[in-house]
Amino acid sequence: MEEDEEAREIRRKHADWKFIEEQPEPLRSALKCFVELGDLYLAAKIAEMGIDEFNQLRIRAKIPIVI
């Protein structure tokens, strides 16, 4: 789907990849999952965090939510 690919590209472009790569597992994988899929619930589950807590990490990683 074209919209999904556009959203993914926006998330990839704005993400702070240095910050993401510095994170321990499973946080690094969760952030990458969010960049690729945009699924906050799934990424929070991978990170073993609540949604609000993961959302704070997402903000620190500069990954936008694309609607």
Side-chain angles (χ1 to χ4, degrees):
M1 295 204 219
E2 197 171 315
E3 294 110 19
D4 292 341
E5 188 57 38
E6 285 181 37
R8 188 176 298 121
E9 285 302 317
I10 291 168
R11 289 189 297 268
R12 285 178 184 160
K13 179 181 173 187
H14 292 282
D16 180 346
W17 289 102
K18 184 178 184 304
F19 176 83
I20 292 170
E21 292 299 333
E22 289 172 347
Q23 299 310 299
E25 287 297 341
L27 303 183
R28 180 174 45 237
S29 290
L31 289 165
K32 288 179 179 180
C33 172
F34 184 76
V35 168
E36 293 303 311
L37 303 177
D39 186 332
L40 196 59
Y41 177 80
L42 177 61
K45 191 168 180 119
I46 291 169
E48 301 173 354
M49 297 176 145
I51 291 175
D52 290 339
E53 188 179 9
F54 180 78
N55 199 41
Q56 291 302 311
L57 181 65
R58 176 197 64 78
I59 291 167
R60 289 174 47 213
K62 298 184 172 95
I63 306 169
I65 290 183
V66 182
I67 299 173

